[in-house]
Amino acid sequence: MDKELILVIDFGGQYNQLVARRVRESNVYCEIYSYRTDIAKIRAMNPKGIILTGGPNSVYEEGAPTCTKELFEIGCPVLGLCYGAQLMQFVLGGTVEKAPVREYGKTATNFDTTNELFAGIPEQSIVWMSHNDYISKSAPGFKSIANTADCPYAALATEDERPLYAIQFHPEVLHTEYGKEILFNFARKICNCSGDWRMDSFVENAISEIRAKVGEGKVLLALSGGVDSSVLAALLAKAIGKQLTCVFVDHGLLRKNEGDEVEEIFGKSGRFDVNFVRVNAQERYYGKLAGVTEPERKRKIIGEEFIRVFEEEAKKIGTVDFLAQGTIYPDVVESGLGGESAVIKSHHNVGGLPDYVDFKEIIEPLRNLFKDEVRKAGLELGLPEFLVYRQPFPGPGLGIRIIGDVTAEKVRIVQDADYIYREEVDRALAEYKKEHGEDAPWMPNQYFAALSNMRSVGVMGDERTYDYAVVVRAVRTIDFMTAEAAQIPFNVLQTVMSRVINEVPGVNRVLFDCTSKPPGTIELE
């Protein structure tokens, strides 16, 4: 391969993407593969290092995900995390069994900082543990390099020349105080990666690859106006200009005023030298979604209708050789194509096109990037910050922020409520920064309103009402793989409640969703 690569081998852990993301923060390229990946394929990729993820199983159970000794004999450094650590020890001759004391959560841990893996961190700090089993006896040739009060082998390393490491805790989560430094040490010091994975080089290489692949062909892009598709549009515009046609489908499930904003930025303003087509398909979508309540079915209908609209527009345009999609790496993994973890959502643009769609090929230049890397690429391409840092918005739009069936009236309710909520949060954030000279400590990374399917009795004036409950959500997250509810000040929530109930007909109750991810997802559905 033409770039240094660290492989993350996925054993079904919920943090597999987070592991890869943390490695990339060290400017080292990283990809996720299932533990079922053939060892010959792994050898052919010539990785600089391998990381084994956590997982929900016990390594000694029949049928549990496993690997062979060959994985540890490739020659590159291998780091096992949690289940991956236990599997390494189990396969190489150690003993793993049910722990007498289950460790979960923040745990004080002692480190041997003379080991290169822990270089530069304190001799004691807090890590995040999550295990029922533990390594009761290390494999031959290993020594303990970290311990807790209840876990003698919180980390292990080989005493010989084999660069093998096993860590019982999760360095990839923020709760582990020096986890980022530990993974940096592995990637940069132990694997000897140069750290040349940067967005400026990605953009330059991507433009060259697009030009070589497309040639004189025409490209059709589904432009939603979100971060991913906008960055992709800018990248393609820089590479092929007028060979690109951006089709913006207004399916009536966008945020308030967003359709007009997208048209202004990518069409009327002339900021981008591309062909821009807006398709107003609101009534078409409302008709298809009438009476449909199951979230997964709504996703499929919306996705299928997108393809139908693109097919129709392609025929109007003439010959179209490629369909460009703003697929990013979390889409790939969460759709079950990049690792071993379960499929979480099905609306992601992965896996190709149905046979009856008339495009020669699909291109996904952002397929290997995480969301924050996409934003960096957008800045490299000269996109304005307000566009690059706009809040994420799901492909199915408000279709999955409306619980139950979708109607034009419900869309209006959630659009207006969402607009008020975001406006008040933005105002509070601006006031805090003006007063304190810094961002608010509660500043959320994403915040929106959704419409529940719950109706309740209320009183407005002297009359009883029977209207909907709006749910507002705000999360703090770095990578959108995990998230915690943002602590929006109560006075802000009170203002939102008052405005929504007074200004949005059909609503008589406002709820705040404080669920973390996991166990929830960021979207309500």
Side-chain angles (χ1 to χ4, degrees):
M1 301 184 72
D2 60 355
K3 56 178 173 283
E4 297 175 329
L5 171 67
I6 287 183
L7 293 183
V8 172
I9 306 297
D10 180 18
F11 290 91
Q14 62 178 318
Y15 299 132
N16 59 358
Q17 293 182 54
L18 203 51
V19 175
R21 185 64 205 97
R22 293 289 177 262
V23 172
R24 291 194 189 185
E25 287 175 0
S26 300
N27 297 116
V28 176
Y29 185 66
C30 188
E31 289 185 357
I32 301 170
Y33 286 84
S34 167
Y35 74 91
R36 303 172 194 269
T37 305
D38 188 78
I39 193 71
K41 181 177 179 180
I42 292 175
R43 287 183 185 277
M45 286 187 278
N46 191 29
K48 294 280 286 185
I50 295 172
I51 299 177
L52 313 182
T53 74
N57 302 93
S58 292
V59 296
Y60 47 78
E61 292 176 342
E62 184 177 352
T66 191
C67 65
T68 66
K69 290 183 179 180
E70 289 182 274
L71 187 64
F72 306 106
E73 297 169 352
I74 289 177
C76 67
V78 181
L79 171 64
L81 308 180
C82 198
Y83 181 90
Q86 294 172 3
L87 183 62
M88 176 188 291
Q89 295 302 297
F90 184 72
V91 170
L92 296 179
T95 303
V96 177
E97 56 189 341
K98 192 69 67 179
V101 178
R102 178 180 183 268
E103 288 185 311
Y104 182 83
K106 295 180 179 180
T107 307
T109 304
N110 304 305
F111 294 96
D112 176 2
T113 57
T114 63
N115 189 280
E116 196 168 22
L117 188 63
F118 300 138
I121 73 171
E123 292 183 351
Q124 186 178 84
S125 64
I126 299 297
V127 306
W128 183 261
M129 288 284 192
S130 179
H131 63 102
N132 288 314
D133 296 331
Y134 83 131
I135 302 162
S136 58
K137 179 184 176 183
S138 65
F142 284 81
K143 66 176 181 178
S144 175
I145 56 173
N147 65 81
T148 72
D150 298 307
C151 184
Y153 299 119
L156 292 151
T158 47
E159 297 180 282
D160 51 36
E161 70 281 358
R162 296 174 299 164
L164 305 179
Y165 302 83
I167 296 179
Q168 182 59 73
F169 56 89
H170 289 276
E172 68 273 21
V173 302
L174 294 179
H175 301 304
T176 295
E177 291 179 334
Y178 295 92
K180 182 177 179 180
E181 288 78 2
I182 292 169
L183 290 173
F184 178 93
N185 286 342
F186 179 73
R188 299 288 292 274
K189 296 181 179 179
I190 293 173
C191 297
N192 293 314
C193 291
S194 60
D196 59 359
W197 168 247
R198 297 184 304 273
M199 282 305 102
D200 54 353
S201 58
F202 167 81
V203 168
E204 182 180 340
N205 292 336
I207 288 172
S208 298
E209 289 172 2
I210 291 167
R211 287 173 178 165
K213 187 178 188 68
V214 172
E216 299 298 317
K218 291 183 179 180
V219 179
L220 179 64
L221 167 64
L223 178 59
S224 69
V227 176
D228 302 337
S229 68
S230 297
V231 172
L232 179 55
L235 182 63
L236 290 167
K238 195 162 186 177
I240 59 174
K242 286 287 189 180
Q243 291 171 248
L244 170 67
T245 297
C246 295
V247 174
F248 167 54
V249 178
D250 187 346
H251 50 28
L253 302 170
L254 300 171
R255 290 169 285 207
K256 187 172 182 177
N257 301 327
E258 196 163 57
D260 293 338
E261 292 170 357
V262 172
E263 185 172 11
E264 175 63 28
I265 294 170
F266 293 99
K268 294 179 179 179
S269 69
R271 183 190 297 266
F272 301 99
D273 185 28
V274 298
N275 301 304
F276 177 83
V277 177
R278 178 175 180 172
V279 182
N280 292 310
Q282 295 93 329
E283 295 306 317
R284 176 172 174 168
Y285 274 86
Y286 296 159
K288 291 284 185 179
L289 292 168
V292 179
T293 60
E294 203 275 315
E296 192 67 9
R297 181 61 187 144
K298 286 194 284 187
R299 289 178 183 276
K300 291 184 183 301
I301 289 172
I302 294 168
E304 288 168 3
E305 204 60 23
F306 254 101
I307 293 176
R308 299 287 73 73
V309 173
F310 291 148
E311 184 181 36
E312 293 167 11
E313 291 305 315
K315 288 177 180 177
K316 294 177 186 177
I317 295 166
T319 302
V320 176
D321 303 289
F322 299 91
L323 175 67
Q325 292 187 153
T327 306
I328 65 174
Y329 204 45
D331 299 343
V332 175
V333 178
E334 289 193 358
S335 296
L337 301 179
E340 189 60 27
S341 300
V343 175
I344 299 171
K345 298 175 182 176
S346 65
H347 71 265
H348 300 307
N349 296 321
V350 295
L353 296 168
D355 294 337
Y356 49 83
V357 179
D358 297 327
F359 301 98
K360 180 169 65 176
E361 195 173 345
I362 187 171
I363 56 174
E364 299 170 308
L366 307 180
R367 186 183 178 91
N368 292 324
L369 298 187
F370 284 95
K371 176 69 76 172
D372 55 331
E373 293 172 327
V374 173
R375 295 187 198 278
K376 290 177 184 177
L379 294 176
E380 284 290 333
L381 288 161
L383 287 172
E385 287 193 8
F386 80 86
L387 179 59
V388 171
Y389 288 104
R390 76 185 307 173
Q391 291 190 48
F393 192 58
L398 299 179
I400 60 169
R401 290 184 181 173
I402 295 173
I403 307 304
D405 63 329
V406 176
T407 66
E409 175 66 6
K410 287 183 176 181
V411 170
R412 177 199 56 80
I413 290 173
V414 75
Q415 282 180 334
D416 289 347
D418 177 71
Y419 186 86
I420 290 169
Y421 178 47
R422 288 186 290 116
E423 186 176 58
E424 290 300 330
V425 171
D426 290 344
R427 179 180 290 116
L429 289 169
E431 289 175 354
Y432 186 97
K433 190 163 188 175
K434 182 178 180 181
E435 181 178 350
H436 299 278
E438 60 184 11
D439 291 330
W442 52 268
M443 183 172 71
N445 301 98
Q446 187 176 1
Y447 41 105
F448 58 88
L451 183 62
S452 77
N453 203 28
M454 181 184 81
R455 302 182 74 182
S456 63
V457 173
V459 178
M460 297 182 73
D462 294 324
E463 297 182 356
R464 286 165 63 88
T465 62
Y466 186 63
D467 288 329
Y468 287 104
V470 161
V471 179
V472 294
R473 179 98 160 111
V475 297
R476 287 178 59 81
T477 179
I478 291 177
D479 44 46
F480 291 85
M481 298 300 101
T482 61
E484 294 181 345
Q487 297 184 33
I488 306 296
F490 191 68
N491 65 307
V492 177
L493 293 176
Q494 284 184 308
T495 301
V496 171
M497 176 275 298
S498 179
R499 283 195 61 192
V500 168
I501 290 176
N502 281 284
E503 298 177 31
V504 184
V507 178
N508 68 0
R509 197 175 295 267
V510 177
L511 311 175
F512 181 73
D513 182 359
C514 61
T515 312
S516 63
K517 176 186 179 181
T521 61
I522 289 176
E523 296 295 334
L524 183 67
E525 19 188 358

